[in-house]
DNA sequence: CGTTGTGAAATGATTCACAGCT
DNA sequence: AGCTGTGAATCATTTCACAACG
């Protein structure tokens, strides 16, 4: 395995956008794409795209562009989407249910394999074919079903405790929907989806009169 | 009005976190906070916090720190949270409903003032006291109710059209939940919340074995 | 020609180091 | 002593400019 420079964090953000656009173009029947074209679709500079891709070796063709099929395959591999990620959702309120039934997740290799909630009224109900389990079965089920990712969709007050329990149970990555920072020291990876902060930033942008898609994705 | 340097984009992200923590400390009964303490709570360097805040004038006290009350007030003002933002939600499926009933929004000055959906089975139903309206009333209602922000929670295929209609109707900012880039040229601001991309990046982080809260928010 | 891949330059953001206030 | 505010230094990321290729 050859030594590689670390992947810049902003690059990772973009790879996932590249893959989405590559899939879209392929679905449309295209067979290749240039960095310029990809950039135009995503609002990015074309050099940026070439730099990003070149981090993983040379797989474009001068004068031609990139072939969609191998490009998509390589991106999937890089992003770890060439396998199934067994995932638990903790918190089956409205948000949790929306997440569980969110189309794109299921289609992309993220397999919801367990759902938990603290509310006895929810436990036992079924969402998208998943029976909601009580919180106290968390450790046992995570471990038995070899679940690697956890989605935290509980209220803010409960988020840190749920995170601790998930990590203790062996989960390696957390997707956090609660508006708070989760401290997992260095035992897992955490990514957050923070509606409030996002909306707040939007309000700021509007206040200062900033126009356009500021946010070439997040 | 004095000329100011433009606010770095990453700073805006952080301001919103500062405000959240300031509110939390105040609710706890504290009356002041140092940049060091704030940094520890949010996983940030203390200089960073002072730099960010100093962009808006000097309002700390050497030897003491920052007084929470004026700091919170100032942050609210900067972020545009010192007023009510009338907001429409387009797309009242599970995700839209979760957003509408998402506690933090309501509490923070974002007032959901209209809800639309294309599905005739949903139109007429009530979510959190809001009657779901048919899409063809969008322009009329946005304008009559003087709505400034739009939340797009429709499927990807419909997102761009909804965005166009919202912007045409006079909305100044869009919060986009669809996994696609919205093109509004320079007629409005757009911020995106992209679950899939986020989860994908988490999978990548786990794949490469990166640990910790990589992502000091967003 | 159009397009990739990449060193070099430019830009942007973070952190250091420290003067100065309480 | 504890803390803010900030110029200067460092570090990271983006963009430019261009050689090489099909």
């Amino acid at each position: 395995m050859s030594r590689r420079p670390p992947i810049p964090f902003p690059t990772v953000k973009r790879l996932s956008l590249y893959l989405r656009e590559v899939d879209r173009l392929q679905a449309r029947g295209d067979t290749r794409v240039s960095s310029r074209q990809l950039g135009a679709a995503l609002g990015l500079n074309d050099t940026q795209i070439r730099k990003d891709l070149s981090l993983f070796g040379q797989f474009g063709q001068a004068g031609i562009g990139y072939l969609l099929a191998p490009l998509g395959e390589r991106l999937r591999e890089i992003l770890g989407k060439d396998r199934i990620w067994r995932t638990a959702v903790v918190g089956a309120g409205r948000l949790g249910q929306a997440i569980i039934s969110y189309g794109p997740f299921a289609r992309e290799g993220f397999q919801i394999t367990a759902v938990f909630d603290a509310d006895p009224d929810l436990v036992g109900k079924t969402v998208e074919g998943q029976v909601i389990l009580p919180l106290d079965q968390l450790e046992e089920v995570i471990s038995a079903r070899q679940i690697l990712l956890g989605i935290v969709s509980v209220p803010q007050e409960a988020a840190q405790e749920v995170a601790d329990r998930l990590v203790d149970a062996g989960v390696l990555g957390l997707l956090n929907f609660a508006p708070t920072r989760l401290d997992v020291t260095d035992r897992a990876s955490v990514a957050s989806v923070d509606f409030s902060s996002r909306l707040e930033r939007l309000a700021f942008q509007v206040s200062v009169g900033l126009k356009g898609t500021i946010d070439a994705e997040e």
Side-chain angles (χ1 to χ4, degrees), chain A:
Chain A
M1 189 139 292
S2 72
R3 280 284 267 97
R4 269 200 218 296
I7 318 302
F9 200 68
T11 295
V12 182
K13 294 196 194 187
R14 288 186 299 260
L15 291 177
S16 143
L17 304 182
Y18 300 162
L19 176 54
R20 190 180 282 162
E21 183 66 11
V22 164
D23 283 347
R24 209 181 61 83
L25 293 173
Q26 266 189 301
R28 212 176 69 175
D30 290 13
T31 128
R32 50 199 221 195
V33 68
S34 70
S35 57
R36 157 96 69 124
Q37 180 190 349
L38 209 45
L42 300 171
L44 299 169
N45 178 301
D46 56 312
T47 305
Q48 178 105 81
I49 289 168
R50 295 198 299 279
K51 261 263 154 66
D52 284 344
L53 296 179
S54 75
L55 290 173
F56 303 94
Q58 315 191 350
F59 45 110
Q61 294 176 223
I64 304 293
Y66 299 86
L67 293 177
L68 289 173
L71 179 55
E73 206 176 334
R74 191 78 177 84
L75 286 172
R76 281 211 159 64
E77 195 186 311
I78 292 165
L79 290 169
K81 290 189 70 183
D82 53 348
R83 44 127 137 192
I84 302 285
W85 290 89
R86 295 165 73 82
T87 305
V89 172
V90 185
R94 288 206 217 229
L95 178 58
Q97 293 190 24
I99 292 166
I100 294 162
S101 50
Y102 186 62
F105 282 172
R107 270 183 250 114
E108 314 256 350
F110 299 100
Q111 188 179 76
I112 309 275
T113 304
V115 177
F116 303 94
D117 202 287
D119 180 351
D121 291 349
L122 282 174
V123 169
K125 295 205 166 145
T126 296
V127 184
E128 298 279 316
Q130 288 292 328
V131 178
I132 301 175
L133 304 172
L135 261 194
D136 55 20
Q137 289 179 23
L138 190 144
E139 286 76 8
E140 178 193 341
V141 172
I142 295 282
S143 147
R145 300 193 186 164
Q146 301 182 62
I147 288 170
L148 288 185
L149 300 180
I151 297 182
V152 178
S153 49
V154 298
Q156 188 256 113
E157 312 79 59
Q160 181 64 54
E161 197 204 320
V162 164
D164 291 340
R165 289 181 60 180
L166 284 167
V167 174
D168 284 343
V171 155
L172 296 178
L174 296 178
L175 185 65
N176 174 35
F177 282 82
T180 189
R181 177 165 189 269
L182 296 183
D183 180 4
V184 295
T185 20
D186 56 358
R187 308 195 302 138
S189 300
V190 180
S192 296
V193 176
D194 187 333
F195 294 9
S196 302
S197 163
R198 218 41 179 172
L199 188 53
E200 222 160 272
R201 278 152 62 193
L202 179 66
F204 172 84
Q205 289 167 22
V206 173
S207 300
V208 301
L210 233 45
K211 295 297 171 58
T213 299
I214 273 72
D215 166 24
E217 189 15 11
E218 127 97 16

